[in-house]
Amino acid sequence: MKGPCERLGENEDQREEAIAPAGCFAGVPEADKDSEADSDSDLETEDIHGLREPIRDALHLGSCQAYGIVPTIYFLNQGCAPELKLRHRGLGPQGAWALASMLISNPYIKRLDLQDNGLCVAGAEALAYVLSKNSSICDVDLSENQIGVAGAQALCAALKVNQAVQKIQLAGNSLEEKAAQYLAELLLVHTGLKSLDVSYNQLNDQAGETLGPALAENTGLTELNISWNHLRGPGAIVFARGLEANIFLKVLDISFNGFGDSGASAVGEALKANNVLEELNMSNNRISATGARHLGLGLWVNQTLRILVSCRC
């Protein structure tokens, strides 16, 4: 019996057949476009009142039938709302592919929240396909979905192609050292990404060594949450050096990582040079009085930091 996160067995033809009708969502059928060219204003007015909803619902129902899943009533009732929030619905990989046909050409949804749905790698690939095509979605929450390294690879590849997404949350997805390489590549090319959450994963010291240089070169990110990982030792130091060179980041959460005294000292040095960061959370990082003193030396010089959380070091 297949586990809940095994890749789907259906072939690409089935996926394409289920997703292909999405082109109809962009407006009226192709055969009618020329004959109704003079009625653009009327179509726009009708669109505001829901011309596309029946088409969208038909696509969703057809996709659900193709993948053998129960249609999502909440989605069918959502109309033209800018947010699609389907947390804890047990969609699974097949549910993600069923949603893909509608999401690809949907011009309304700006925020997509699929937290805790057991999407796994195949579901992440479905959403990656959507994000490579859709230029309206700018805020994505895929936390707690067990997407793993392969899922992160697919998503990062899609976001490098279509840079409309400004915020993405990937907390609690079993992202390990190898995922850091894909995240680093994303940070180097996606200048429109403003907020990234990779908390509650397994990013280790080697991941810190990979992400540090990318953070130094990034020219867009303003908020980063990498708490509850395993950045420590040399990785914590290299990551802190990336912070020293960064000139855009305003909010950084590195709590619960085990930076230790050496990491705290490196952060202190970074704060001497960094003149942009405004909020820093580095609580619960195994920092002794020695590390706290070095951190304080950086704070003495820094002119921009407004909020520092460092309790229970």
Side-chain angles (χ1 to χ4, degrees):
M1 182 178 294
K2 291 186 178 181
C5 277
E6 270 191 62
R7 291 176 179 269
L8 295 179
E10 66 267 15
N11 56 41
E12 292 300 323
D13 291 337
Q14 180 184 1
R15 291 180 179 175
E16 291 177 3
E17 181 180 351
I19 294 176
C24 297
F25 186 80
V28 295
E30 292 293 334
D32 297 335
K33 285 185 178 179
D34 293 335
S35 62
E36 298 184 10
D38 296 332
S39 304
D40 288 344
S41 60
D42 293 337
L43 283 175
E44 291 173 3
T45 303
E46 290 176 5
D47 177 64
I48 295 174
H49 292 88
L51 176 64
R52 296 180 181 177
E53 277 84 343
I55 300 174
R56 181 209 61 197
D57 292 350
L59 287 173
H60 181 58
L61 292 171
S63 295
C64 289
Q65 183 178 14
Y67 286 99
I69 65 171
V70 178
T72 306
I73 301 301
Y74 177 87
F75 165 69
L76 295 174
N77 292 334
Q78 101 140 22
C80 300
E83 178 181 25
L84 178 59
K85 188 174 183 179
L86 295 174
R87 291 185 175 187
H88 322 299
R89 303 288 176 134
L91 294 176
Q94 295 196 19
W97 279 104
L99 281 176
S101 61
M102 177 281 302
L103 290 173
I104 288 175
S105 301
N106 189 298
Y108 303 116
I109 294 175
K110 308 299 181 185
R111 184 170 194 272
L112 179 63
D113 186 346
L114 299 180
Q115 183 181 137
D116 184 28
N117 271 288
L119 300 181
C120 306
V121 176
E125 291 173 344
L127 273 300
Y129 183 78
V130 170
L131 295 176
S132 69
K133 306 292 184 180
N134 184 297
S135 59
S136 298
I137 298 174
C138 57
D139 186 341
V140 181
D141 188 348
L142 299 180
S143 302
E144 303 292 340
N145 272 296
Q146 305 170 41
I147 68 171
V149 174
Q153 180 182 13
L155 287 168
C156 289
L159 294 176
K160 285 159 62 177
V161 174
N162 182 355
Q163 302 194 6
V165 175
Q166 299 178 13
K167 179 178 181 179
I168 187 164
Q169 294 171 259
L170 299 174
N173 270 300
S174 302
L175 304 186
E176 300 175 350
E177 176 186 335
K178 291 182 179 179
Q181 183 59 48
Y182 305 120
L183 293 169
E185 293 172 0
L186 179 64
L187 291 178
L188 289 175
V189 301
H190 194 337
T191 58
L193 186 64
K194 303 301 180 185
S195 178
L196 174 64
D197 183 350
V198 289
S199 59
Y200 292 91
N201 283 293
Q202 288 86 51
L203 298 172
N204 57 14
D205 52 344
Q206 286 81 12
E209 293 184 25
T210 300
L211 291 171
L215 184 62
E217 297 294 328
N218 179 265
T219 58
L221 203 66
T222 59
E223 183 174 353
L224 173 62
N225 186 348
I226 196 169
S227 63
W228 290 93
N229 278 279
H230 308 296
L231 302 187
R232 56 193 62 170
I237 294 174
V238 174
F239 184 85
R241 288 173 181 165
L243 174 63
E244 180 177 348
N246 184 278
I247 58 173
F248 285 88
L249 199 65
K250 295 181 180 296
V251 180
L252 175 63
D253 188 345
I254 51 175
S255 60
F256 292 91
N257 267 288
F259 263 55
D261 290 341
S262 59
S265 298
V267 172
E269 289 299 314
L271 290 176
K272 292 179 182 179
N274 185 290
N275 59 358
V276 179
L277 194 67
E278 298 178 358
E279 299 181 23
L280 172 63
N281 185 346
M282 59 181 308
S283 60
N284 296 278
N285 266 295
R286 303 175 184 174
I287 302 171
S288 71
T290 300
R293 183 168 59 252
H294 287 290
L295 179 62
L297 293 175
L299 293 171
W300 183 263
V301 176
N302 185 275
Q303 299 293 318
T304 59
L305 198 68
R306 299 184 296 104
I307 298 174
L308 172 66
V309 182
S310 60
C311 61
R312 296 182 62 186
C313 292

